[in-house]
């Protein structure tokens, strides 16, 4: 019955693979299974052999939901975080809305996955994704929004104050309690990113002392390990001068900006344009002085 209904809307091959996705989700009710993995591999291969616009949205959303369930069970937080947005977006395209309760659960799991991911530092995508944010705002889980915002802003002092004030809420989620040292590194890496991002490209030479102050480090001895971690995570690139205790940053990771950050960036661009205009005037004046 279900197979014939799907076939009438998407064609038999895609309908069969959509049913296979449902089967995989059922198989993974309690834990990941070899059979579910085999099914997902087959369906993924089928979709990858076709153009995205040729894949029926129903198949896309069922595959995304199956992948998300697998990543959740395997505790692959980065992959779950990335897939969660596809789950919601593909559901809209397929006209299969996620009921509010399930959407709230998805939003909760997504923000927790962002915090627990070893490679997600910038939470801008989540914080700007209104469907998820609105599910958590004004609820008992709203503290997770605030915490992720502090991490995203690189607000080390605010982060540490928050941890102290919400110790019971954090302890109630054992994974977050265990991950506190990693999260402390994350917020300091984001503090470094902010320091670099809002400094003009021609002035990105930083002393170890300025980095230690901005990133809430106890001393300059902790700066070089932080920089090496940032280089390894591809957050920034540059050259360290250990003798001079300074670093020259040549590249910074692109970021998803909030409205306030866009406003700040616009101000920086305005200041840059003013400097360029002033330099042009000086060049024109100099050229006029040396013209016979």
């Amino acid at each position: 019955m279900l197979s014939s209904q799907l076939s009438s809307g998407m064609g038999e091959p895609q309908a069969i693979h959509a049913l296979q996705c449902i089967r995989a989700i059922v198989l993974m009710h309690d834990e990941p299974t070899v059979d579910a993995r085999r099914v997902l591999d087959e369906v993924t291969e089928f979709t990858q052999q076709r153009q995205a616009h040729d894949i029926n949205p129903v198949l896309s959303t069922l595959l995304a939901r199956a992948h998300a369930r697998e990543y959740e069970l395997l505790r692959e937080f980065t992959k779950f975080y990335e897939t969660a947005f596809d789950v919601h977006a593909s559901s809209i395209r397929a006209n299969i809305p996620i009921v509010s309760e399930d959407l709230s659960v998805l939003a909760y799991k997504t923000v927790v996955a962002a915090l627990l991911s070893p490679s997600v530092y910038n939470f801008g995508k989540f914080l700007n994704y209104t469907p998820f944010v609105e599910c958590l705002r004004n609820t008992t889980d709203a503290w997770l929004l605030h915490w992720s915002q502090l991490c995203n802003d690189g607000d080390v002092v605010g982060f540490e104050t928050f941890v102290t004030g919400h110790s019971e809420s954090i302890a109630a989620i054992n994974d977050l309690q265990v991950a506190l040292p990693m999260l402390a590194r994350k917020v300091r890496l984001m503090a470094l990113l902010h320091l670099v991002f809002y400094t003009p490209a021609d002035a990105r030479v930083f002393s170890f002392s300025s980095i230690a102050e901005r990133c809430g480090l106890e001393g300059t001895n902790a700066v070089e390990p932080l920089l090496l971690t940032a280089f390894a995570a591809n957050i920034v690139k540059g050259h360290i001068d250990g003798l001079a205790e300074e670093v020259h940053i040549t590249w910074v990771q692109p970021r998803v900006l909030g409205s306030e950050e866009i406003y700040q960036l616009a101000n920086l661009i305005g200041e840059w344009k003013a400097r360029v205009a002033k330099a042009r005037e000086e060049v024109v004046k100099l050229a006029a002085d040396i013209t016979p």
Side-chain angles (χ1 to χ4, degrees):
M1 177 72 173
L2 179 59
S3 177
S4 61
Q5 289 177 334
L6 290 172
S7 297
S8 64
M10 66 174 71
E12 185 174 352
Q14 295 201 46
I16 291 173
H17 283 89
L19 289 172
Q20 287 288 73
C21 289
I22 296 174
R23 176 169 174 257
I25 294 172
V26 173
L27 288 170
M28 294 186 292
H29 178 69
D30 295 316
E31 61 183 3
T33 68
V34 174
D35 287 342
R37 177 69 267 166
R38 178 181 54 77
V39 168
L40 290 180
D41 284 342
E42 291 175 358
V43 178
T44 299
E45 182 180 2
F46 173 83
T47 58
Q48 289 177 342
Q49 292 173 349
R50 287 155 179 79
Q51 297 294 324
H53 61 264
D54 291 330
I55 304 299
N56 190 283
V58 173
L59 174 56
S60 295
T61 191
L62 290 173
L63 181 57
R65 293 184 187 193
H67 276 308
R69 179 57 179 162
E70 180 185 39
Y71 298 146
E72 178 185 0
L73 292 171
L74 292 174
R75 298 172 59 80
E76 295 187 11
F77 301 114
T78 304
K79 289 183 177 180
F80 180 89
Y81 176 76
E82 295 169 346
T83 305
F85 299 97
D86 292 335
V87 170
H88 181 257
S90 62
S91 295
I92 293 175
R93 290 194 299 270
N95 197 25
I96 306 177
I98 303 176
V99 298
S100 59
E101 183 178 344
D102 289 345
L103 186 58
S104 295
V105 171
L106 179 62
Y108 170 84
K109 291 179 179 179
T110 304
V111 69
V112 171
L115 290 164
L116 294 175
S117 167
S119 57
V120 175
Y121 300 96
N122 178 6
F123 301 155
K125 182 175 183 179
F126 178 86
L127 293 169
N128 286 313
Y129 201 73
T130 303
F132 286 169
V133 171
E134 290 303 317
C135 282
L136 298 177
R137 198 189 306 277
N138 299 322
T139 70
T140 55
D141 296 322
W143 64 274
L144 288 164
L145 275 181
H146 187 194
W147 201 17
S148 60
Q149 184 71 66
L150 291 170
C151 290
N152 193 65
D153 293 344
D155 185 348
V156 177
V157 174
F159 173 90
E160 294 178 340
T161 301
F162 186 92
V163 169
T164 302
H166 292 76
S167 57
E168 291 186 5
S169 297
I170 295 170
I173 305 175
N174 186 62
D175 285 339
L176 290 178
Q177 181 69 37
V178 173
L180 279 176
M182 179 188 71
L183 287 166
R185 288 193 297 274
K186 273 192 180 188
V187 71
R188 284 167 172 80
L189 287 168
M190 288 305 294
L192 174 64
L193 187 149
H194 271 254
L195 175 63
V196 176
F197 193 84
Y198 291 108
T199 300
D202 58 355
R204 289 178 177 171
V205 178
F206 304 95
S207 66
F208 280 16
S209 59
S210 66
I211 293 175
E213 180 180 0
R214 175 64 179 87
C215 298
L217 302 174
E218 294 183 358
T220 56
N221 288 338
V223 171
E224 191 164 346
L226 180 72
L227 288 170
L228 293 175
T229 301
F231 289 171
N234 221 28
I235 294 172
V236 295
K237 296 179 181 178
H239 311 287
I240 299 174
D241 186 337
L243 293 176
E245 290 198 333
E246 63 182 26
V247 59
H248 177 210
I249 301 298
T250 58
W251 179 86
V252 60
Q253 184 185 86
R255 302 184 60 242
V256 178
L257 302 178
S259 56
E260 183 176 341
E261 291 177 309
I262 292 173
Y263 177 76
Q264 294 173 353
L265 185 59
N267 287 337
L268 288 176
I269 293 174
E271 293 173 4
W272 173 79
K273 289 176 65 177
R275 291 199 302 272
V276 170
K278 183 177 179 180
R280 179 179 179 278
E281 291 175 1
E282 292 176 352
V283 170
V284 171
K285 182 179 179 181
L286 180 60
D289 291 341
I290 65 176
T291 301

